[in-house]
Amino acid sequence: MTVTTRKDWASDQEVRWCPGCGDYSILAAVQLLMPELGVERENTVFISGIGCAARFPYYMNTYGVHSIHGRAPAFATGLALTRPDLDIWVVTGDGDSLSIGGNHLIHALRRNINIKILMFNNQIYGLTKGQYSPTSEYGKVTKSTPFGSVLSPFNPISLALGAEGTFVARTHDMDRNHMMEMMRRAHLHKGASLIEIYQNCNVFNDGAFSEITSKDKRADNLINLVDGEPIIFGANSDKCVVLDAEQGVRVADRSSVTEDEILIHNSKRQKPAIAFALSKLASGPHEPTPIGVFRDVEQHEYSESLQHQTEDALNKKGSGTIANLLSSLPTWTVN
Amino acid sequence: MTVTTRKDWASDQEVRWCPGCGDYSILAAVQLLMPELGVERENTVFISGIGCAARFPYYMNTYGVHSIHGRAPAFATGLALTRPDLDIWVVTGDGDSLSIGGNHLIHALRRNINIKILMFNNQIYGLTKGQYSPTSEYGKVTKSTPFGSVLSPFNPISLALGAEGTFVARTHDMDRNHMMEMMRRAHLHKGASLIEIYQNCNVFNDGAFSEITSKDKRADNLINLVDGEPIIFGANSDKCVVLDAEQGVRVADRSSVTEDEILIHNSKRQKPAIAFALSKLASGPHEPTPIGVFRDVEQHEYSESLQHQTEDALNKKGSGTIANLLSSLPTWTVN
Amino acid sequence: MTIKHEALDRVVIRFAGDSGDGMQLTGDRFTESSALFGNDLSTFPNFPAEIRAPAGTIAGVSAFQVHISDHDILTPGDSPNVLVAMNPAALKANISDLEQGGILIVNSDSFDDRSLSKAGYETNPLTDDSLKRYSVYEIPMTSLTLEATKDTGAKPRDAERSKNFFALGLISWMYNRPYDETINWINKKYENRETVLQSNLAAYKAGHAFGETAELFASNYTVAPAHFEKGTYTNITGNHATALGVVAAGLLSGMQVLLGTYPITPASDILHELSKLKNFNVKTFQAEDEIAGVGAALGASYGGALGVTTTSGPGVDLKSETLGLAISLELPLLLIDVQRAGPSTGLPTKTEQSDLLLAMYGRHGEAPLPVVAASTPSDCFEAVIEAARIAIKYRTPVILLTDGYLANGAEPWLLPDLTKLQPIEPNFSKEFNHENKDGSKSFYPYIRDPKTLIRQMALPGTPGLEHRIGGLEKSNESGAVSYDPLNHELMVSLRAHKIEGIQDDISDAVVDDPTSDAKILLLGWGSTYGSIAAGVRRLRARDKKVAHVHLRHLNPFPKNLETILKKYETVIVPEINLGQLSKLIRSKYLIDAKSFSKVQGVPFKAVEIEKYVLNFVEEN
Amino acid sequence: MTIKHEALDRVVIRFAGDSGDGMQLTGDRFTESSALFGNDLSTFPNFPAEIRAPAGTIAGVSAFQVHISDHDILTPGDSPNVLVAMNPAALKANISDLEQGGILIVNSDSFDDRSLSKAGYETNPLTDDSLKRYSVYEIPMTSLTLEATKDTGAKPRDAERSKNFFALGLISWMYNRPYDETINWINKKYENRETVLQSNLAAYKAGHAFGETAELFASNYTVAPAHFEKGTYTNITGNHATALGVVAAGLLSGMQVLLGTYPITPASDILHELSKLKNFNVKTFQAEDEIAGVGAALGASYGGALGVTTTSGPGVDLKSETLGLAISLELPLLLIDVQRAGPSTGLPTKTEQSDLLLAMYGRHGEAPLPVVAASTPSDCFEAVIEAARIAIKYRTPVILLTDGYLANGAEPWLLPDLTKLQPIEPNFSKEFNHENKDGSKSFYPYIRDPKTLIRQMALPGTPGLEHRIGGLEKSNESGAVSYDPLNHELMVSLRAHKIEGIQDDISDAVVDDPTSDAKILLLGWGSTYGSIAAGVRRLRARDKKVAHVHLRHLNPFPKNLETILKKYETVIVPEINLGQLSKLIRSKYLIDAKSFSKVQGVPFKAVEIEKYVLNFVEEN
Ligand SMILES: Cc1ncc(C[n+]2csc(CCOP(=O)(O)OP(=O)(O)O)c2C)c(N)n1
Ligand SMILES: Cc1ncc(C[n+]2csc(CCOP(=O)(O)OP(=O)(O)O)c2C)c(N)n1
Ligand code: SF4
Ligand code: SF4
Ligand SMILES: [Mg+2]
Ligand SMILES: [Mg+2]
């Protein structure tokens, strides 16, 4: 294992985000994590679309591609299929991944292709200066919705689970350790992993997550999902999550239930139903909201499965040459 | 209410599907339903993408557009936004709606725009002669996967629920009454409705649903979701569905549970968690599979909300003329 | 020291600073007050693609150039007479454009070692003599602003951000701009943010007072109002005029407007403007992507609304497929392409004219459509109406080309005479148009006007006229799907002739050739209008004869174009691309049109046009 | 009655029936057996877009034309000498093409009232004298087939479906095709479906025997093997040759191939073929749409594989944006466009050459790329290799144009001499190429070869050469994002010159002008090769001198093209579009190239070329 330090992972490019932008802390988390993962810089590739978030690859001293809006998962898929030796990360915004890139995202998840997707969700279009995004809340006033938006946002976790996502997690830019833990887990996962990162855009959507992520509100409003542990939260640990025949799961006062009614978190449940129910606990980042790994299950990884088919074919037919190729055709010979 | 008959709804075009194709029975169901809905032909529009299914509008004696592959929801959205007076149906295949059109589909559902989407799911690309589709099962051998497909299919119901679908149902081409019932319900729903219709493609994927839809297997393998009723199925009504802490819901022997443990179906549950769990009961149409309305809830309908904003503006500012428009600018006058 | 008052006929000022320094706002306000004062003017904002690029770097410099004058002018000016540089990077990035002997005003507070090195200066230009060709005024704007605002309660960090208002005040004093109006404007703009309001007011006043009292400046200047045609004027950017044109087209046709779009620089402001105008029968729809945006617009057109979509750069590519559908369906659709520098993401905030061939040919199959271009910011208004008129009347998608320079540039606009705006008649069918063999009647959607080849169009909701259309080839007249080879050829040719025939319905190209005996013709289109016309003026001032034709219609070309072109010995086509119009002209008229191309993301300077022609004359 | 044996030098046979009648299979097998027999041949399948259009209608007719000959031929033939019509609709749709006095074989069982009226006949053509210009053979193929198969155990409904084998047997007898080989082939093809096998065998044998014994035919015919160059041959379609070319390009370059694609007619078969060839270092990826298909191909190229994408019609539109990215990144990419009739969905199964201008100009910004075309089915193999060579070497997307006619048409192909296939050298960088100011080394991805302007390319996985690239404009050499105006102009021009410079690396255009003194040049590209060359033969047979140049490279054009064009008085450009190449030629060389256009979804006939030139000569 190569020993690297955080500095090795920072490119020489000056970082071009607004001062105070949440993207900085995500960058720091990634650069801190990398040495710990023991991977090689030359085998690491960051691929992004377009947006503020999508600037990310420029700042990593690895291979990197700043591609086009929404298409990073497609580009990454081609790379992953042909280069299973690489460690491939996709960095994307909420608009990039859920608006123009929605289809590529859900298909990448379904295919379970070996890429790690970091979705910087600031609930706004940053780079184009403040239009609403697919995660902006109902009623949001933005440049393109001066009278308030009149449609409901996606919940990225629910969407990912509906799209057969095998690794789905949420974290936020105010908690470096939690971010790093999520990324560590994603890196261990074989297949597609999606991490939704609540990220503050202090220019166009400041404070979007402060009701749940600010230091004083976290205890009450972040529900930390930890495998094997009962789902308990609240400054006084007085709240919990239990099964519910109407809502799937619901928040309850701990005093109103018995301890064994409290749901034990388990990201490894094969069926995504409970994970989905958890994703629906909160309708937006203004009430108790789960963070952590919702789902983390094993399934056929696409590029590996394809590689197996190739190897099978090679074993059966041998490595093909042009001569083989042509001689397999029905031919006749003129002398 | 105008009185029409089935014949009034059939156009003069000869139907161009393969003999025996499931599309015929869906067409019949729609043409039978229309007179009953009491809508006017001239106010009804069918919009489709490309595919065998997408031929549908040609056969309806209404306004109709055979648009381009995957884009019918986008086209329909523009029409619905400007013409809320129309009754708009989108007809699409599994490839059209979930492959190339996946993004438009999930956004149409999230926006809850007033269109009814009939997804003919034959788990194959019909028109292009037999490649696998996003609903084809793992391992499927097709023209484009001669060694078997190596990725998991979407479950359209789960995906729709993950995408905030407010009306989500499933039916199949072998049961005209059930199809009509689902369409009737969709028509009553204000907002976007999605009906997945299992449809047999007897040329390229014959029998894909026969394990659950053939007359002799239905009783055992179709779980009919009926609002207000306990979810019971089986030729001898010996099976049922109950809540489960691991899987959300599961199938149980009726003998092994008490009657009040049996889940009562309710499509009106605001939160989609139970509906989602139901959608995950079966991993494909080869084991007990729910049909019926999974979810049917009220929510802001997009075109109506937009219309309200317009009316508000009109009330506040009056109906604008070019003179108003120009006089609202900061101007100076030269004499 | 008494201050002289000098009268100037024109001045070009450039404000330059960090992206976060508010230079665009300063420039805008200076422009607005000059407009209200009555000058003719033209502006050129130039900013980086980042929201806020790293402070202090060259990449982060944002600039705004404004040209004000007492006579009519055509461009934002080739080189500024005055440069305001808020930091070393701004100085470095802009100084080479300042005219010899021009006025340079710098915020001297920002010239510390760190900032100098960030900007890439090895020595301090304020002290190393490198600026001796200019009249340099070093003003500690940051400290003066802090001083001025200390009673407003603003924290120093925030107060400092008012320094652009200090600059605005100073320059407003220097050029005698109306004082009270700007005070009122600040009051209004910040009415809900009291501290900011007070601090901006204080800074503005301090800047103004500084000019008057600091004894630094020997003179201040007046640029008298220009002699404008009588009428009511507003100062307008191209994007704003475009948005107004869209509304007007809707009102003139009586059609509801649906803008289906997706945000992209530099087109987004059209969406922003239109989304405010809900009481004008306009709806806006921010779609999930460009494909859905144009798809929704087309769906709206199918229902009888005017479907409009706006975009730029990569967004245009994505709309190709739906344009093809619109051509096949023969439905109205207006695509407004605010061109930017490509290829790929390119330079999103920079201008270019490089989508002309894409507009002409960017669809599979034989898929012709009309292409229209706007030539100045205010001209966007009429160009949109013309494009919409063609789209509605001919039931065809139309591409309107504007660009980043028009979009953000501003000029005074004489508001149009409303009585001269022609209504647009959509002419929807209400009746059967075909008698079947059995004597019954039906509606055939592809029955055409024999002259214009326009098809009949019936809207959903019209009883009895139900019919189906689609992107498969269809039988002429009945519209039913047809695989007949000869019918396909017929339809391909009808679609082509319909578009060609629009020639009969557009105005002739106008030649600017006062003596009618020039030998050289400058042929332009789009936003090069101002630069070419200004270049022509310069040439004529040197007694060089040169003619100028500027095209509104790129497809079809005006009928008289061929005759015009053949009259001149030389046709030069200046374009902000590698010669796209010149290719079309060469191919169509077999004329050896010379391409004069500049592809730097910025407009031509008048002097570049002048020089090119002078060189050409010399060498030939 | 004794049957005469006549020798023919060539014959054109068309099989026509319902889509469900198996005409494509019949035609294919007849072709294959003729190929094995040693004839030269050329085929033209022509079928509807529906999987199975309504039985008995004109829209549902599927046809397969094959031209076999004892000498080398160029096209599937202008008009069939023999038409086999399995039902009235097939007769109606095809009869007008049959030569005067030609042989018409009909399945008389299918001429009942219902079928006649479905086909739109008011009277029975078999009895109303309308066919008297032909030699008509009425054969009750359905009942004969039922009779022949009655012992096979097949249900009558199924047995009836063997009637195409009856027809195959009959025609095989008429033209003396090898008997046993087809028997073997049937045995193999249906080995897992016993009843079907038996019934097809029985029908085939019955058809053959019927010819021999029915005393209907006065003669049968032999078309002797053609004199082919020595070597090994296979009969191949364009799509198949394309797939083989892709594999070969991968093997020649040592690069893994990733085909990222989305099914679309008529390109899907390339995917189907390639997905079988996993042991040739080829992976196929059926993406969610065309955008993802090309995106994945580009991602693969970035990793050092050869990214290939295949499509047609609307699919090409959708790939524009990613092509722009590939141009900006300067990465290899091969887009194979199997052109079909547009616009929009158009006529998916019909051929057209109408994507040339799209290939040239269909991207925003200045975004040039090389365009290559294949001219015959087997030529697709070499055309792919040439396109891939350019893509890999020049690190650029290349568009290869084939079309529906090439895709499905077949001809004998002399397998290439493997020793003549040149390896392709991707030339990836492994070393630093730049020395920084501080003496340290680094990798600059946009350092270029000074002559070819090809940039350096290092693959992920190469230690030390980590770098970042993107679609924003970048500094030449370092590749860092750059907003510098002059750098942008430099990059725009470098990209353009790199593509133009490929002129030096491609073969000259070859003129076919035996006497070197023709005045008229026919300039073609793509699939019109056969028709033009055959037309030229006809003209020369009439002693008309005419030259022919057929272009492999559409961008850049071969260096010698200008000289060639200027040698001829008249340049005529026959195209299956409205004159796209002629536009390019006119614009580039200012030559009054005449467009001869046909847009009917089918190829030119040789006689149409001949007539056009004869008319032209007469009128001029
Ligand atoms: C095809 C295309 N359409 C539109 C754009 C303009 N655009 C760039 S980034 C962006 C959205 C950015 O939002 P998000 O993905 O949330 O990223 P953020 O800036 O918030 O980090 C848009 C619309 C583009 N570059 N390309
Ligand atoms: C842009 C584009 N890509 C590809 C196609 C080709 N195509 C037509 S239909 C189809 C898939 C059809 O599958 P599905 O939607 O499941 O419909 P079905 O035929 O099975 O009813 C494809 C790939 C197209 N018409 N347009
Ligand atoms: S605009 Fe928002 S998301 Fe973008 S860099 Fe600035 S703060 Fe960050
Ligand atoms: S191919 Fe399949 S889906 Fe299409 S018409 Fe035939 S049976 Fe139906
Ligand atoms: Mg965002
Ligand atoms: Mg399907």
Side-chain angles (χ1 to χ4, degrees), chain B residues 93-96 120-126 133 199:
Chain B
D94 45 324
D96 196 53
F120 295 18
N121 180 6
N122 54 14
Q123 302 193 344
I124 200 83
Y125 284 5
S133 93
Q199 171 248 327

Side-chain angles (χ1 to χ4, degrees), chain A residues 3 22 132 233 268 270:
Chain A
V3 179
Y132 75 114
F233 66 105
K268 305 282 183 185
Q270 199 58 38

Side-chain angles (χ1 to χ4, degrees), chain C residues 316-317 320 337 339 353-363 367 369 371 399 401 525 554-555 557 575 577-587, chain D residues 356-368 583-584 587:
Chain C
V316 193
D317 301 345
S320 317
D337 172 7
Q339 297 165 99
Q353 298 187 292
S354 48
D355 296 354
L356 175 57
L357 291 173
L358 171 66
M360 290 292 296
Y361 300 125
R363 298 155 294 280
L369 54 72
V371 181
I399 295 183
L401 297 171
W525 67 280
L554 281 322
N555 194 37
F557 288 130
E575 294 178 86
N577 62 39
L578 290 183
Q580 303 200 358
L581 173 61
S582 82
K583 283 204 177 66
L584 295 177
I585 294 291
R586 291 168 65 89
S587 154
Chain D
L356 175 58
L357 291 173
L358 170 66
M360 289 293 296
Y361 300 126
R363 299 156 293 280
H364 75 281
E366 291 291 347
K583 284 203 176 67
L584 295 177
S587 154

Side-chain angles (χ1 to χ4, degrees), chain A residues 103 106-107, chain B residues 70 95-107 159:
Chain A
N103 206 29
I106 59 179
H107 280 272
Chain B
D96 196 53
S97 60
L98 292 172
S99 199
I100 192 167
N103 207 27
H104 306 308
L105 179 77
I106 60 179
H107 280 273
L159 183 68

